[in-house]
């Protein structure tokens, strides 16, 4: 199909069934009017030429087929037919005049439609005044006004109302479509929010599982290693006692976390400053020397969220130190409190001793998930967590803003006080 054929097919495809019926109906009505009225007495053309009026009417009626696709072509054909029929003395031209005005107002562009309405009004006024001025007879002027009004003003007003109704319907359809699109977009947005919330919850659950179980299981692994390598039954019994405590505590924490996740309660799992003594003792059972000292004051008024965050940081740091620097001394130091507005806790391990069991033989490196999870937890509380080399060893430092709070006092415990030292268990680590 070439470029010339496309516009023709587009015009033909715009023809509707009602257009075909009109193109057939108008000639029939014009022929009926001719047989009743027998026009042609006032024709400007010779009678022989005026007798061809049906052909002119047929050409004008064919133009009606193009009123939707090519309104200008329709107006040219029907308008020319109207003029020729009037010169032939045929009042049947008023049928085509009515359709020409109606189609121009309804199907043409906004500017042409508006100009057609104005022209109809002007032509009606001019025709009426002209007849009145020429004949000086009011009845003739009134009759002219009625005929012009029926042929020009009536189709223009009718088509204008239909056009406005169509525009209103189109605007309503557009508004409904926009509302539907908005609902669809809102549903998509809600689905995205839900997916994001689910992903965030999964990440939180993964972090919580790591924080709750990692320290316990790592301590158990270290303690069982010490039990297997020790030569005394007494030390093995002590280590196994710590293993049992760690297993029970880990099971209780896991049960508590599952209960929290199932109920949707955003409470923190167990782990407070008062629990650091037992945490250090459990890890020291593997044979590592760990010292715990604190000058933290007002521990009972520190919110549980801050206490749990510090507990998790210390637990993860001890696990990492025992895994990657076996044999190194570890120091846990706490400072500050609500009065100072800051809680500062450091976990520092010395360089591991050289020889077998040193850091080089410490096994597979960690994934870093623990520190990332803890850093996120600390940052959500407005604090800061750093981990870096310190005097040849490694230091993890957490700073948390705190203020006095009566919240969760029953869970906060007595806290840290004074200075404690946990010696290594006897026997090889």
């Amino acid at each position: 199909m070439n470029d010339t054929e496309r516009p023709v097919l587009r015009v033909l495809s715009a023809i509707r069934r009602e257009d075909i019926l009109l193109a057939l109906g108008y000639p029939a009505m014009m022929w009926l009017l001719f047989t009743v009225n027998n026009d042609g007495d006032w024709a400007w053309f010779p009678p022989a030429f005026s007798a061809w009026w049906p052909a002119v009417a047929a050409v004008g009626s064919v133009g009606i087929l193009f009123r939707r696709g090519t309104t200008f072509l329709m107006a040219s054909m029907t308008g020319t037919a109207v003029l020729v029929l009037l010169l032939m003395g045929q009042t049947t031209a008023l049928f085509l005049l009515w359709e020409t005005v109606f189609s121009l107002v309804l199907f043409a562009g906004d500017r042409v439609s508006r100009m057609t309405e104005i022209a109809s009004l002007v032509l009606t006024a001019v025709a009426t005044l002209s007849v009145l001025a020429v004949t000086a007879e009011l009845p003739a002027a009134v009759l002219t006004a009625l005929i012009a009004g029926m042929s020009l003003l009536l189709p223009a007003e009718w088509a204008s109302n239909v056009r406005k109704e169509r525009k209103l319907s189109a605007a309503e359809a557009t508004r409904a479509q926009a509302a539907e699109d908005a609902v669809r977009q809102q549903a998509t947005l809600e689905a995205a929010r839900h997916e994001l919330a689910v992903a965030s919850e999964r990440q939180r659950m993964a972090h919580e599982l790591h924080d709750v179980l990692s320290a316990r299981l790592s301590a158990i692994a270290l303690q069982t290693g010490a039990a297997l390598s020790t030569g005394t039954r007494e030390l093995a019994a002590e280590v196994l006692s710590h293993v049992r405590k760690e297993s029970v505590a880990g099971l209780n924490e896991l049960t508590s976390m599952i209960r929290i996740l199932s109920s949707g309660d955003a409470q923190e799992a167990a782990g407070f400053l008062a629990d650091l003594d037992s945490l250090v003792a459990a890890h020291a059972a593997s044979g590592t020397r760990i010292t715990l000292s604190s000058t933290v004051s007002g521990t009972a008024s520190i919110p549980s969220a801050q206490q749990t965050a510090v507990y998790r940081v210390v637990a993860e740091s001890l696990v990492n130190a025992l895994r990657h620097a076996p044999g190194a001394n570890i120091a846990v130091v706490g400072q500050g409190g609500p009065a100072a507005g800051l809680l500062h806790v450091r976990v520092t391990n010395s360089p591991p001793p050289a020889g077998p069991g040193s850091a080089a033989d410490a096994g597979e490196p960690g994934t870093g998930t623990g520190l990332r999870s803890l850093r996120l937890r600390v940052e959500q509380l407005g604090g800061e967590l750093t981990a870096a080399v310190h005097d040849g060893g490694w230091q993890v430092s957490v700073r948390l803003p705190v203020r006095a709070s009566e919240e969760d006092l029953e869970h906060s415990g007595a806290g840290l006080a004074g200075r404690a030292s946990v010696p290594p268990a006897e026997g090889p680590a």
Side-chain angles (χ1 to χ4, degrees), residues 14 39 71 91 107 138 140 181 183 233 238 254 258 293 297 322 344:
D39 287 339
T71 309
T91 55
F107 298 112
L138 184 59
D181 292 342
V183 171
R233 179 172 299 180
E238 181 182 353
L254 180 60
I258 292 175
S293 61
S297 59
L322 293 173
H344 184 198

Side-chain angles (χ1 to χ4, degrees), residues 284-298:
S286 64
T288 300
R289 179 176 181 82
I290 305 176
T291 60
L292 171 64
S293 61
S294 173
T295 58
V296 176
S297 59

Side-chain angles (χ1 to χ4, degrees), residues 63-64 66-67 70-79 100 103-104:
I64 297 174
F66 309 113
R67 62 179 189 160
T70 311
T71 309
F72 177 77
L73 176 61
M74 181 276 304
S76 300
M77 296 177 66
T78 56
T100 301
S103 298
L104 281 174

Side-chain angles (χ1 to χ4, degrees), residues 15-375:
I15 298 175
R16 306 285 180 84
R17 183 177 62 179
E18 53 266 32
D19 299 332
I20 298 175
L21 294 177
L22 285 175
L24 296 175
Y26 275 121
M29 289 189 295
M30 287 187 285
W31 181 262
L32 179 63
L33 181 62
F34 173 77
T35 58
V36 173
N37 192 38
N38 195 20
D39 287 339
D41 296 338
W42 46 277
W44 291 60
F45 293 137
F49 183 78
S50 298
W52 288 91
W53 72 266
V56 178
V59 173
S61 298
V62 171
I64 297 174
L65 297 175
F66 309 113
R67 62 179 189 160
R68 300 175 190 272
T70 311
T71 309
F72 177 77
L73 176 61
M74 181 276 304
S76 300
M77 296 177 66
T78 56
T80 302
V82 168
L83 180 60
V84 174
L85 287 173
L86 288 176
L87 293 177
M88 288 179 172
Q90 299 295 324
T91 55
T92 56
L94 297 179
F95 287 109
L96 289 180
L97 179 60
W98 196 99
E99 184 60 38
T100 301
V101 174
F102 183 86
S103 298
L104 281 174
V105 175
L106 181 58
F107 298 112
D110 292 339
R111 183 178 178 182
V112 174
S113 176
R114 183 60 180 165
M115 290 177 61
T116 303
E117 292 185 66
I118 296 174
S120 299
L121 180 61
V122 171
L123 288 176
T124 300
V126 169
T128 303
L129 294 176
S130 298
V131 171
L132 181 62
V134 171
T135 63
E137 295 181 2
L138 184 59
V142 172
L143 180 61
T144 301
L146 289 175
I147 295 175
M150 293 291 292
S151 303
L152 296 172
L153 295 182
L154 178 60
E157 185 64 21
W158 190 350
S160 178
N161 291 335
V162 174
R163 186 185 183 95
K164 291 176 182 177
E165 182 65 24
R166 287 185 175 182
K167 285 186 175 181
L168 183 62
S169 299
E172 184 65 21
T174 301
R175 187 197 65 80
Q177 183 63 39
E180 183 179 348
D181 292 342
V183 171
R184 189 181 299 108
Q185 292 175 0
Q186 183 66 26
T188 302
L189 179 61
E190 290 298 328
R193 288 177 177 172
H194 176 71
E195 291 178 1
L196 182 61
V198 170
S200 177
E201 184 64 16
R202 287 174 178 171
Q203 186 179 39
R204 189 179 76 85
M205 291 174 63
H207 289 169
E208 200 67 31
L209 279 170
H210 178 276
D211 294 346
V212 167
L213 299 180
S214 176
R216 300 293 184 187
L217 296 179
S218 297
I220 290 173
L222 293 169
Q223 292 162 4
T224 53
L228 291 173
S229 62
T230 184
T232 62
R233 179 172 299 180
E234 292 76 8
L235 181 56
E238 181 182 353
V239 170
L240 291 176
S241 175
H242 281 290
V243 168
R244 172 174 171 75
K245 290 180 181 178
E246 290 294 323
S247 301
V248 172
L251 181 60
N252 290 336
E253 289 184 355
L254 180 60
T255 303
S256 175
M257 190 192 70
I258 292 175
R259 186 181 299 112
I260 291 172
L261 293 176
S262 300
S263 64
D265 191 358
Q267 297 177 356
E268 294 286 350
F272 301 95
L273 295 180
D275 301 323
L276 291 180
D277 290 319
S278 59
L279 177 66
V280 169
H283 285 78
S286 64
T288 300
R289 179 176 181 82
I290 305 176
T291 60
L292 171 64
S293 61
S294 173
T295 58
V296 176
S297 59
T299 307
S301 61
I302 297 177
S304 60
Q306 276 81 351
Q307 293 198 44
T308 300
V310 170
Y311 178 89
R312 300 296 181 205
V313 170
V314 173
E316 180 70 18
S317 301
L318 291 176
V319 169
N320 290 340
L322 293 173
R323 179 186 300 162
H324 301 296
N329 296 327
I330 304 174
V332 181
V333 179
Q335 297 173 328
L342 178 70
L343 178 61
H344 184 198
V345 177
R346 302 186 306 275
V347 181
T348 308
N349 64 268
S350 62
S358 64
D361 303 320
E364 294 296 328
T367 63
T369 302
L371 285 180
R372 286 197 300 269
S373 171
L374 293 173
R375 182 173 285 109

